Amino acid sequence: MPENLTEDICEEAAFERVYNKYSNDVHNFLYYKYGTQFNPRDKAQEAFIKLWDNCKNVTFAKAKSFLFTVANNLILNEIKHQKVVLKHQKIKPKHYTNETPEFVLEQEQYLERYNNVLASLKEEQRVAFLLSKVEGKKHSEIAEYLGVTQKVVEYRIYSAFNILKKELEGFKIK
């Protein structure tokens, strides 16, 4: 079968011929060079996907070279990625802070008091407050979500805020 070296690979029949001709060769090349660790079958398939994406720029004569180069680069990129992952796994996270033990204890106690006061709020107040302050929803969105008016939502949020402010000294919110 004589091959037209300038044939358009974007045509389905031409691409199928390229795939049938080179798919096993690309897989075997990757398998022999790198083993099974980096999934040579998947990388070969990815190379063919890249060929399809770039079919306008690659002629039939250059298809083999393109496939082998792309497949090899995919594996090399995977190896680089694995090296970065290993490097970051070796870095140990710091298990210390610059805060004093007293500050850390106060922070934990404050958070516990905050959670207790939050739990003591009426459900409507707590839901409206958390939707507004934690999730950042607008009052109109909360009103639509809860099926109440915007004024009701505002009242619930501000009454929850006042209770928190009264129960927790120094409670401020942005």
Side-chain angles (χ1 to χ4, degrees):
M1 157 172 91
E3 298 170 357
N4 183 357
L5 298 179
T6 60
E7 187 175 9
D8 188 13
I9 295 179
C10 293
E11 294 176 17
E12 189 175 333
F15 187 82
E16 186 176 350
R17 277 201 311 280
V18 169
Y19 180 81
N20 290 335
K21 187 171 184 177
Y22 298 123
S23 64
N24 284 333
D25 294 340
V26 173
H27 168 264
N28 291 341
F29 167 73
L30 296 175
Y31 178 75
Y32 297 145
K33 190 168 182 179
Y34 300 105
T36 60
Q37 180 181 4
F38 298 106
N39 300 322
R41 179 71 63 198
D42 290 347
K43 298 302 182 215
Q45 292 298 321
E46 285 183 53
F48 277 98
I49 290 171
K50 291 214 185 256
L51 176 63
W52 181 255
D53 291 341
N54 294 299
C55 66
K56 296 263 188 233
N57 304 328
V58 180
T59 63
F60 197 87
K62 305 238 181 197
K64 181 178 180 181
S65 172
F66 179 87
L67 286 169
F68 280 80
T69 303
V70 166
N72 194 48
N73 287 343
L74 286 169
I75 295 276
L76 292 175
N77 288 342
E78 180 72 21
I79 291 170
K80 282 182 188 176
H81 175 70
Q82 292 297 329
K83 285 181 181 179
V84 170
V85 168
L86 288 173
K87 179 181 173 187
H88 284 288
Q89 285 176 345
K90 288 180 183 176
I91 297 173
K92 294 181 181 174
K94 64 177 188 173
H95 294 289
Y96 61 89
T97 63
N98 292 333
E99 288 85 22
T100 64
E102 292 83 16
F103 177 80
V104 174
L105 181 62
E106 286 176 14
Q107 188 178 23
E108 290 171 0
Q109 289 173 345
Y110 187 83
L111 182 61
E112 185 179 330
R113 283 192 358 242
Y114 171 76
N115 286 330
N116 289 338
V117 173
L118 203 58
S120 71
L121 293 173
K122 293 179 187 173
E123 182 179 353
E124 299 90 22
Q125 293 173 325
R126 184 175 52 255
V127 169
F129 181 79
L130 292 175
L131 285 172
S132 174
K133 302 303 179 190
V134 174
E135 294 188 20
K137 302 236 184 258
K138 296 179 183 173
H139 292 183
S140 57
E141 293 174 319
I142 298 169
E144 184 179 321
Y145 177 73
L146 297 176
V148 295
T149 66
Q150 188 171 333
K151 287 289 183 188
V152 170
V153 169
E154 290 171 2
Y155 175 76
R156 289 177 182 177
I157 292 170
Y158 292 118
S159 62
F161 179 71
N162 286 334
I163 292 170
L164 286 165
K165 198 165 136 182
K166 186 175 80 174
E167 297 291 326
L168 303 170
E169 72 248 12
F171 180 76
K172 294 179 184 171
I173 198 157
K174 295 179 182 178

